[in-house]
Structure formats: structure tokens, C-alpha cells
Amino acid sequence: MPHPAPSPLYPPLDPFDQRMLEVPGGHTIYVEQCGNPEGIPVVVLHGGPGGGCSPAMRRYFDPAVWRVILFDQRGCGRSRPTASVENNTTWDLVSDMEAIREVLGIEAWVLFGGSWGATLALIYAEEHPARTRAMALRGTFLMTAAELDWFYRGGAGQFWPELWDKFIGHLPEEERADPIAAYHRRLFSGDLAEETRFARAWAGWENALASIDNDGATGDGASPTARAFARLENHYFSNGGFLAEGQGILDRLDRIRDIPGVIVQGRFDMICPPSGAWKLSQGLPKVRLQMIPRAGHALSEPGITAALVQAMQEMAETLPR
């Protein structure tokens, strides 16, 4: 029986610093640091919105070289209050990143994020280009109506019709034309049992399509985790990512044209199709697009994992300490 290929990830490691940071609007966010306290700062931006960070995310960086900062965004993970959408917008998260950077005494850092984490990285970079040294993005999501329509109005469902039928089957027929709005009414109904039931269905649809090797299992996960994930994600998507006219990522690429980086994109990403990564790369001459064959959306895809680890090794060699 063949042995599995060795993982390119670095060994597990523990944080050297963990703290709860109070931020405006009644939120307290979890922040941790690991690796080399004198290393190159990199901030890890998790997906969702509402996904939370995990110990595995620490392992993409050489701990002798990188000072790795992870945090749970408002309303999820170890941040409090859980599943809260009050004072929880893209711009609040950008402000939180600046608060973390200032508290930790970091002049500028590298941004590392996938899916919604890539969205937040790009919006932060466009707002604070002088604080952004480089970017490593994965599974690019540009927060456009076309991308939301693809995933929530039947585009991806053309490939997974049985799972799409299950996802919209929770809704009355007259509400199925706009699943985001229909799920919103139930995720914020005030009935905990109903919110939890629909949260598991919302999270299950996304989980089922994350990996190219997935067999269609929905992997709904623990109810409190699913509820925070679904409520936050739906809240952001219902509001178009809180991006006003002219604030779209592609509208402001001129602000980050000189920032170097890499985009790692799964060729068969069902959640964030490769067209977004391609469009983004065309406007960023110093960012390299690396398309990974036989890979989907998930950070844990073997090809994506290997490409990101290698990208961070190469970036460490080129960035001045």
C-alpha cells in the first residue's frame, strides 16, 4: 500500500502571545502570535466571514523567519460576542487590523488570506497600501454580485444538482429565487432552533463544495460554530460586503499596483471560480497568479498547501528583514 506524501507544512507550534483585544462597538477579538518575535510580520486572515482561525494556519510559515499574527474576526472563533452582527462590517474589520498592528508595534506587514480572507486582505491593502509589504492570496473572492449569484442562484448548483436541491429545499418555492434573503430571514428569526437548523444547511452547502475530492458530504459541523459562520456570512453577503459605489476591489487596484505578491488559485474552485483571480492578476503587475490543477477551494488541498508554503519561503528570501 503506498505511503501518503509527506506534508509540506511546518510542525505544529504554540503561540508565544495570546490576548483578548477590546475594540469599539462592544466587541473583543482574540489575537495570537507565534513563530519568531523578531521575524517578518505576517497577518493571517481567515475565511467566511465567520470562519475563525485554526492551529493549522500557523504551519504555513517557517517559525524561524516569520512573526505570525492570527486573529478571530468579530463575532466568530474565540472573539466575543459570538455570532453578533452588531457593529460588524468590513470597515470594522479593517479598523481592527489597524488596532492590532498598532498594539503590536508593527510598521507594515504581509497579508495572507484565502476566500473571504483574500477579500479582506485586498480591501485592507487598498485602504492602507503603506502598511502592506506583500500579499499571499488564495481562492480569490472579489465580493461581486456575479460571484454571489454563481454560488447562491444556481450556478454551482449546475455541477451539484442534488446538493443544490437540498440547499434550496429548506425554503418555500416562492422564496427560492433569492436564497440569501430567504436564509437571512431564518438565520435572524430570533428562534434559536430555527436559526441553528438553517445555519447547518447554509454551512453544509459550502462545506460540500470546498474540496475537489469531496464526495458530497455536507460536514455541517458543530451547531454553535455553524450558527456564527452562517449568520456572519449571510450578514456580509446581504450587504454586498458593505462596499459602496467606487469601493469595489477592482475599482481601486491602482492603489496597490506596486505591492508584490502571489495568488494561488484552484483550477476547479466551485466556490470562487478562477475568473476572479484572473481578473485581479491582470490589474496587479507585481502579483503572480499560480493556477493549481486538480484543486478546488480549500486551504487544505494538497496542491494549494504546497504552493502557499513554497510562496512564503520565496517571499521570505526576497523581502528585506
Side-chain angles (χ1 to χ4, degrees):
M1 186 173 180
H3 294 287
S7 171
L9 294 174
Y10 290 93
L13 74 163
D14 295 323
F16 64 78
D17 172 49
Q18 294 173 290
R19 63 182 79 192
M20 300 297 291
L21 179 65
E22 290 189 11
V23 291
H27 288 265
T28 305
I29 55 176
Y30 170 81
V31 183
E32 69 175 42
Q33 299 186 80
C34 57
N36 181 355
E38 304 300 322
I40 304 169
V42 55
V43 60
V44 178
L45 305 173
H46 65 69
C53 57
S54 70
M57 295 177 182
R58 305 167 184 162
R59 301 177 58 193
Y60 286 77
F61 314 92
D62 183 344
V65 173
W66 293 95
R67 177 184 178 185
V68 186
I69 299 101
L70 299 93
F71 73 101
D72 290 331
Q73 296 160 27
R74 294 188 180 209
C76 65
R78 287 150 288 190
S79 295
R80 296 293 180 266
T82 300
S84 172
V85 299
E86 297 294 323
N87 302 307
N88 196 336
T89 73
T90 305
W91 305 106
D92 290 313
L93 302 185
V94 169
S95 177
D96 291 347
M97 290 174 65
E98 276 297 271
I100 294 168
R101 185 187 61 76
E102 291 171 0
V103 164
L104 299 183
I106 295 169
E107 183 177 348
W109 48 10
V110 174
L111 311 179
F112 180 99
S115 195
W116 160 254
T119 317
L120 182 57
L122 288 160
I123 293 169
Y124 174 90
E126 290 179 345
E127 197 70 9
H128 299 286
R131 304 302 183 185
T132 305
R133 298 184 65 182
M135 299 181 294
L137 311 174
R138 183 266 312 168
T140 306
F141 176 51
L142 301 176
M143 188 56 81
T144 64
E147 289 167 309
L148 292 175
D149 285 350
W150 159 263
F151 200 63
Y152 293 107
R153 288 184 184 263
Q158 297 294 308
F159 290 86
W160 293 91
E162 72 281 21
L163 296 181
W164 175 247
D165 187 66
K166 180 179 179 182
F167 177 67
I168 62 168
H170 293 278
L171 304 171
E173 276 198 47
E174 63 271 17
E175 295 187 57
R176 293 178 183 177
D178 190 353
I180 292 178
Y183 267 84
H184 183 85
R185 286 187 280 273
R186 291 154 179 86
L187 291 169
F188 294 90
S189 67
D191 180 333
L192 182 59
E194 181 180 56
E195 290 182 5
T196 300
R197 185 169 69 254
F198 278 86
R200 291 173 69 90
W202 177 278
W205 164 241
E206 185 164 332
N207 288 341
L209 273 64
S211 171
I212 195 171
D213 291 326
N214 194 37
D215 58 4
T218 55
D220 297 339
S223 295
T225 302
R227 180 171 174 268
F229 175 82
R231 279 168 58 93
L232 286 167
E233 194 169 76
N234 183 282
H235 166 67
Y236 274 74
F237 294 170
S238 295
N239 289 282
F242 302 94
L243 301 180
E245 185 90 24
Q247 289 182 328
I249 290 170
L250 297 180
D251 296 331
R252 305 203 298 167
L253 287 185
D254 59 304
R255 298 174 63 88
I256 58 173
R257 282 179 58 84
D258 293 330
I259 296 175
V262 62
I263 302 168
V264 174
Q265 178 71 37
R267 172 67 73 184
F268 299 101
D269 189 331
M270 282 286 164
I271 297 175
C272 299
S275 56
W278 171 255
K279 290 175 187 174
L280 181 65
S281 69
Q282 296 306 290
L284 297 177
K286 295 190 177 181
V287 172
R288 172 175 58 90
L289 172 61
Q290 185 172 359
M291 202 72 76
I292 308 300
R294 298 197 180 188
H297 183 71
L299 176 64
S300 58
E301 299 261 10
I304 289 175
T305 294
L308 285 170
V309 170
Q310 182 178 1
M312 299 315 294
Q313 291 170 344
E314 293 172 357
M315 196 177 288
E317 294 170 359
T318 58
L319 286 175
R321 294 296 177 92

